[in-house]
Amino acid sequence: MSSENTAHRPNKQAVTIHQPTPLAPYPADPVVPVQPAGMPSVTSIVLPDGRVITGYAIDHNRPEPLAAKPLVSRAAVNIALGGIGFAAVCGGLVLLTTFIAALAALVQQLIILAAVIFGGWIAVQVLTADQIKGGTTVNIRKAVFKRNHFQG
């Protein structure tokens, strides 16, 4: 008897068999192969050594044509429109400040006109008061204050 190393022997395992699931049966109508309507034409090529190769001509996929680029980039158009809008706003602000300055000047002129008219009216009243003989006479006598009390 030979001594066998049983430590390295493969373990015997139970074999599992998997059964495939059957597919659904074919339809009752037989499948008839139909040739596509747009079949390419058959082409034959004769090689220099005399062999003839026959096959279908293959149309390579052509890339879609690129969209025509505009003459001016979209960013440039946006920048130009922004500049026009900024100029319009600045123009409006200049007009607004001009209007405010004109309004302030008008108010100033009206105040000066009112002061001149009112001052003239007061001057007329003062200068014509001496010519009027009628009126109320008020006698003012010397008032005496003693210990912060009026003694009249």
Side-chain angles (χ1 to χ4, degrees):
M1 283 214 146
S2 67
S3 65
E4 293 181 19
N5 189 356
T6 58
H8 295 291
R9 257 194 235 175
N11 294 335
K12 292 185 178 181
Q13 296 178 351
V15 177
T16 306
I17 299 174
H18 296 282
Q19 295 293 331
T21 306
L23 297 174
Y26 287 107
D29 297 333
V31 178
V32 178
V34 177
Q35 205 169 19
M39 267 314 260
S41 60
V42 177
T43 305
S44 297
I45 300 173
V46 179
L47 296 177
D49 60 357
R51 292 183 294 161
V52 177
I53 299 175
T54 305
Y56 294 105
I58 299 174
D59 288 335
H60 295 289
N61 292 338
R62 294 184 186 128
E64 293 184 21
L66 296 175
K69 290 185 178 179
L71 296 177
V72 180
S73 71
R74 193 140 182 92
V77 170
N78 289 340
I79 291 171
L81 289 176
I84 292 171
F86 182 74
V89 168
C90 288
L93 290 176
V94 167
L95 289 176
L96 182 64
T97 54
T98 305
F99 175 74
I100 291 172
L103 187 63
L106 176 67
V107 169
Q108 182 181 6
Q109 293 289 329
L110 290 175
I111 290 173
I112 292 172
L113 180 64
V116 168
I117 291 174
F118 186 68
W121 181 77
I122 291 178
V124 167
Q125 295 299 319
V126 169
L127 293 177
T128 57
D130 291 342
Q131 296 173 0
I132 300 175
K133 296 296 179 191
T136 306
T137 303
V138 177
N139 294 322
I140 300 175
R141 58 185 182 148
K142 191 174 185 181
V144 178
F145 286 92
K146 289 186 180 177
R147 295 189 185 182
N148 293 331
H149 292 292
F150 178 70
Q151 303 287 326

